[in-house]
Structures are given as structure tokens and as C-alpha cells.
Amino acid sequence: MILAPASALELAAGGLSRRAFILRSGAFVLGAALPTRVLAEVAGAGEGAAAIAPAPGTRVAAFIEIGADNSVRFLSPFVEGGQGIATGMAQTVGEELDVDPARIAVECAPPGPDYMVVNGMRLTGGSFSTRSSFPVMRRLGATARDMLLRAAAARLEVDAGSLTTHDGTVVHAPSGRTLTYGALAEEALALTPREDVALRDPATFRWIGKPIGRIDVADKSRGLAKYTIDLAVDGMLFAAVVHAPHYATEPKSLANEVDVKAMPGVHSVHTLPGAVAVTADSWWRARKAVEALDVTWTDPEPTGIATVAADFSSDGMLAALKGSTEAGVSVEAEGNTDAAFAAAANTVEAEYHAPYLNHAQLEPPSAIARFNDDGTLEVWLPNQMPEAFQKLCADAGDVGPDKVRIHSPILGGFFGRHFTYGSGNPFPQAIALAKATGRPVKLVWSREEEFRMDAMRPLSFTRLKAAIGADGMPTAITTRTVGEGPLGRYFGLTPDSSAVEGITEKPYAVPNRSMEYVKLPHPVNIAFWRSVGHSMNDFFYEGFLDEIAEAGGRDPFELRKALLAHSPRHLTLLDEVANISGGWKRGPYEVDGNRRARGLAMASPFGSETATIAEVSLEDGSVKVHHVWVAFDPGSVVNPAIVKAQVESAVALGLSETLVEQAVYENGLRRDANYDTYQVLRREMMPQVTVSIVESGAPMGGVGEPGLPGVPGAVVNAVAALTGVRARSLPLANTQLSGA
């Protein structure tokens, strides 16, 4: 049942804190940091029917559709992108509704206030889809079941307490009568939902907490799953684009427009902001034509980092971050670091940095835009925030948000790629071309255009310094992080917690701490990336912690245990990761004549906790990772098989960034335009991965991202143990190890 669309979040709204994406004391507090005006706009509250609208996640008819044939369709607030959220939603709702999750068809819901279940917002990301909605979805399923029971009691003229249910059927055992949910749905939905429905005792769960199979696997394995790139609408044109070689420059003139218009199948030639485009009767013809255009582009600025200048480079940007002398803002302070350093028996200092990264997703971005005769704009596009994209599509199409219908197919790649990054998305171009041609337009970016325009994980730099006592224990730590994070860029957050997470709020009992952050904006388009700041900052901190251990003459494992003596949860993880790896041993040691070593790292991302051990050797001067062990505590889980798969995939991406991935700027241009030069983890590089899920009973944490941040630190610490070479930057492909 599709609702009238609500207004969407203004992404430029200030005040959204990364810390607001964390569960604290079991309460999700994202909305606490948002201005009341924005919350009202997002929820569609304040006027007319919206002023008395039910709370998000409570209106059964908006989520659950039961057909006369007893089929069940669930409209999910979240977008499926391979993370398994559709299965998790089916398990959670099905448990309380009493319907086998395998029978529930899950689709992404359209924009609407009912789906703002993330404390007044709606987005798929931040590893909090399940943890933010779990109690809401359970209650939704229980409410629907209660309504069906009451409808059955009225039909059968019996007491509702005499009825039970079984997989979509109401059963009256005394008389042997049964009624399917499909036979009762219309009457049930006419009832007023109760607010005091009982939830199932967790001890009786049949599906929650069980490793049931993914409900989307069959369609994907048979080629039936539809991504945006697979879709078509009647009468559509295909479009291809070529973007300016230098970011933020513009087309000045086309020397051969007439010749290109005459190419086979070409419909029209267009200039767009920062790009040129061709529409045609097939995408291949559109691509060949647009690449044949002879375009003169405006010139970039000659130098500097205020824009992507003609001489802009990754090395130059890193030098600017290192050379910054601007005073920073405090992001964490405890104790007296000056006194601790004055009394220190030893000190250690180091500089760490990590490169720009592409998302490098498998599915190239695409979008279909169609203006309908009734004045509506319909857009099919990959996205992680339907309401936000609805507002932006409305702006691009010059129509009201209530005139925009958003379709959110499954995603062929996730990792933060499908948020709103301005020129980093194709949908504004598709809308402009549909308006210009008067036809529906399907725009697909080529792989080269995706690598050219993808918004990237920002390059980052941190300087760390520690004071060490006579007992080898750290007494103080200071950090200075220079750069920019996506929360600062897109939400105006100051200081930007997405730039320092993984450095601040670490669980280690270092008594004196002083962390500062200096914002130095990047001229390039930056983005969220899987585990965001944790993807690099936990590497910085955990690598440096091993340096502290070495300087203090302590074993890295024992140092962490000593610093975490106050935290049983973390000690349990350390003991578990040691146990599943056969006992902690740093090395070097011999395995079948092969010299190996191990490294350890911990991370606390997105409400979950991890401890990771990696075992490595050297082969022809390159790092070979043999095994990664992860002890993972997300508090509690809905589907342990999906959790395990998510941790394993996070390990793979963590290894990719650790060993080979990097996006490089040279002479104002991105160096890599496809996978032939942009290296990602290859199959032969993937090690054995062992995951142990520890359910501590803490508030439910995230799953999709937390497995990644411990990987770089564990691998780099293992390499240092093996070779004596301390890498302080990624990827390791840039570090000379052949002579070690």
C-alpha cells in the first residue's frame, strides 16, 4: 500500500553528529542532534493529516500486504544491497507474525513518513538498519498477528484466547477450524491496532537468532534479480556521458556535433554541467557517439588545493595535511598530558596516513528518469536514502517532492556509494536529459566514468605521540588529525567525528589523552566508505599501540589486556580471538618451512566490538596473508549466518585496502580508470577467515562494517613482527619489504 510521499531530509542541515549514529544505553539517539525543523520536514509532521499521522513503523497496512492466496509482501524501510537486510526483516517480522520468512517477499518501500523508523529518519547505512529497527519490526509483526487473531475470533464467534497461529493460518483447536491470514486480511486491517500486544518469548524463537538461508539467493543465482542497470521502461532512450577530464571544469564547445548527430542510432547531443552526453537507441551507440565528440573544456586553476588544479596530486594534498600549522579543536581530552610527558621514561612519536579510495563497486551507476503525462516525475535509481533522493530529484526536475515517485532497486554495490554526492551521481543528468528530449532516458555510466566521478574516501593524516612510564605502560597519548570527513562536508558537523572516529573514544585505559582535529577541506568529491573513518583511524591507533608496546618492552597482546583490565567485554574478545587462533603467538615462527608472524588489533565501530589476529608471510617481497581470525561481539544477532558472511566480506575489503587499493591523483587527474590499474584484492590473495560471534547481551550493534577496521592494523602489526619494518601508510604495496 503506497502512501503519498513525504518531504525529505535536507542534506545540508547542520548538527548531525557521527556519535548520534551510535546506540547509547540501548537508546538510538540520531534525531537528538537534528534541528526540530528538519525532523518535522523529514517526518512530514505539522500540518493537516500529517499532524495526526501514526508514529513511523506502527501502521500495519504500510508494511504488510497479505494476498487472498495467503502470500505475504513486506515493504522494507531499508534497501537491500547484498548485506542481507531483506532476510533479516523477514525473520524479525515473520517471527512475530508467525509466517515462515521464506514465504515473505520483501521489497523496498517508497518514500513516506511510515518508513522513517530510524528515529525520525530513513537511511540504509552506518551499520544500524537492524539495530535501530529491531524492536519496531518485532512489534509491527506482533500487532499484525493480534489484528488477525481478533478478526478470526469475530468470524468464528470464539474467544481470541482460544486461537493460535501457524505459518499464516489461524487455528481454533477445539473445533478443528482454520482460517488463512489471506481470508482475514481485509477484516483485520479494519481493526484498531492495540498498543499492548505481547511479544514472543525469545526462548521460543524459531527464526530470530537462527542461520536461515537468504531469501534473495534464488533469484540472484537464476539471474532474476533486477538491479537498476537491468531495468527498462517503454519508449526510453539510452544515454552515455563523458565528464570533463579535470573535476569541476565545463564544456566550452563541440567541434563535430553535426557529424556525431549523424552517427547510427543517435537521437541528440547535449552539454551538461561538467559533461557532454548523447542519447541514442542503444547504450553502446550512445557511448561510441559521446566518445567521438571533439570537446573543448574550460581550464582548471593552474595550482593550489582550493580546487582540483592542474598540478593537484595526492602527494601534494598529503604534504598540505602534514604541513598544516592551524590550531586544532579538541575532540577528546582527559588528564594532564603535559605533566605525563614531562615525567615519562620514554616517548614515541609517529605519523600515519591513508590514501583516497574508490568504492569500485561491481555495478556501474545508472538511473532512469521519466516525466509522466500527469505531471509526475518517476525515477529509478540506486540509493540509500529514498526520501533524500526524492527531494533532490524534485529539485533537478523542477517539480514538487509530492510529484516525484522514487523506485529503489537492489544495489549492485554498497559501501556508502549511494548517498547524495552531487556530481558523483548520474540521476540529475538522467532527469535533465529526459526533460530535454521529452522521452524517458536510461543513463548508464561506463566503468571509466564511474572511476572518474566516484566520490572517494578522503585521504587522511594523523600524528601520534605517547608517553611511556618506567613500567612500559603508556601514561599519555596525543593525536593531531588533519583532513576532512563526510559528515563535515555534507552535514556541516564541527568538529567532524567521521574524521576522527577510531582514534577517539578508544576503550584503553590510558590516563592522559589529548586528541585534536584540524579541518583542511579536500578539493575532490569525498564520500562515506565502508566503516568510514574507522577504515583508516583504527589502523593508525592500533599500529601506534604496537609501537608503544615495542618501546615499552611489552608484548602487544599482554599490553592490550593490561589496558583493558577494566572491561570484561573486551577481555572476553581478546581471550576468544586467542583461543580460535590456537593461542597468541607473535613470532616470527616456522610453518612448513615458511617464516610467519601474527599481529593483533581491536576496534569499537558502530556499537560493536572486534578483536582481530592476522597471520602473514612474505612471498617474493609481497605480503601474503594466510589466516585472519575475528572475534566479533555485536551484542546480539538476528541471523548468525549473515553476520558471519558480513564479517568475512568486511575482512576481504579490509585486506584490499591494506594490501593494494589506492586512488591516486597526478597532474590534476585521477590515475586509474578501470580495474586494470586500480588494484583490488584478487582471489588468490584471500586468506582463510575464521569468525567467532560472541553475544555479550550488550545493546545490539552494527554488523556490516565492524569487521573491517581491525584488519589493516592486524596485518601491518604482523608484518612489523615478521620483518621489523613498521609501515605507517597504506597500501602495503607501497612499502619496500623485499630486503626485510
Side-chain angles (χ1 to χ4, degrees), residues 697-739:
M700 185 181 286
V703 168
E705 298 172 274
L708 188 150
V711 174
V715 172
V716 168
N717 287 338
V719 170
L722 179 68
T723 68
V725 176
R726 170 59 59 181
R728 299 186 179 95
S729 64
L730 300 178
L732 286 172
N734 294 342
T735 299
Q736 176 59 250
L737 296 171
S738 59

Side-chain angles (χ1 to χ4, degrees), residues 339-347 466-470 475:
F341 276 99
N346 192 9
T347 62
I468 302 172
T475 59

Side-chain angles (χ1 to χ4, degrees), residues 188-213:
L189 288 177
L191 299 175
T192 301
R194 291 171 50 195
E195 296 184 0
D196 60 344
V197 293
L199 300 180
R200 181 178 286 275
D201 182 351
T204 68
F205 282 167
R206 298 145 299 169
W207 297 302
I208 292 177
K210 306 299 190 294
I212 73 167

Side-chain angles (χ1 to χ4, degrees), residues 340-425:
F341 276 99
N346 192 9
T347 62
V348 58
E349 185 172 0
E351 294 181 348
Y352 282 73
H353 65 270
Y356 293 118
L357 291 179
N358 284 92
H359 293 93
Q361 60 172 17
L362 185 61
E363 180 191 14
S366 60
I368 298 174
R370 180 176 68 192
F371 286 90
N372 297 316
D373 292 340
D374 61 1
T376 59
L377 168 61
E378 210 161 353
V379 185
W380 292 257
L381 76 167
N383 72 90
Q384 294 176 235
M385 293 184 75
E387 284 73 17
F389 279 80
Q390 181 187 45
K391 173 66 166 61
L392 293 172
C393 286
D395 292 343
D398 195 24
V399 298
D402 61 324
K403 297 291 186 182
V404 177
R405 294 176 59 191
I406 293 290
H407 301 269
S408 304
I410 58 175
L411 303 175
F414 221 115
F415 323 129
R417 174 64 182 92
H418 297 298
F419 287 115
T420 56
Y421 300 126
S423 61
N425 287 304

